[in-house]
Each structure stands twice: as structure tokens, then as C-alpha cells.
Amino acid sequence: MRQVTIHAAKTNLSRLIEAALRGEEVVIAKGSRPVVRLVPVSRGAFTIGLLKDKLGSGPDFFEPMSDKELDGWEGGA
């Protein structure tokens, strides 16, 4: 376990983050009293296409608008 003061943590933050990412326990202390533990954020596995076939189809933005829809956008009655 590595314990550093707040001042040393501000000075060496990049090195401390790298140490935490390597699995080393890093504790930041106020004076001699430990107050914070620096740990990496756990990331869940991201799956592409997770909601495929579950949301249905959305609007096709490349299809031309109907005359009624187009009139609404252009301020027609």
C-alpha cells in the first residue's frame, strides 16, 4: 500500500493513477490520517447490438416527407 499526502498527490497525480491502474493500492492522507483510496473505475463489457431486434424500427429520415407533413413544416394550412 502506498500512502501519500494531499500535497504529494497533487504533485504526482498522473503517477498515482498509473499505479492504481496497475493494481497497487494508493491511499491519500490528510497529514498522517488516511482519507481517500484511489481505485480504478471498473468497466462493464460493452456489447455492440445489445438491443438489436428489441426496439422495433424507427423513422427513416432519408425518405421524402408526405405533402401533408411538408406543408406542416413550411407553414401551410
Side-chain angles (χ1 to χ4, degrees):
M1 175 181 76
R2 181 190 296 191
Q3 182 169 314
V4 296
T5 64
I6 293 173
H7 177 71
K10 288 193 291 187
T11 305
N12 299 301
L13 184 58
S14 296
R15 290 185 187 118
L16 295 173
I17 290 172
E18 289 301 320
L21 290 173
R22 287 192 307 268
E24 187 176 333
E25 186 176 353
V26 178
V27 175
I28 301 173
K30 191 171 193 175
S32 61
R33 184 175 51 102
V35 290
V36 176
R37 179 179 298 124
L38 188 62
V39 295
V41 174
S42 62
R43 293 186 179 208
F46 179 75
T47 305
I48 294 177
L50 181 67
L51 298 175
K52 184 179 179 185
D53 300 325
K54 294 183 181 180
L55 296 177
S57 61
D60 188 353
F61 294 107
F62 296 107
E63 290 294 318
M65 290 181 162
S66 69
D67 289 337
K68 183 179 178 181
E69 292 173 317
L70 193 55
D71 283 344
W73 277 99
E74 293 179 344

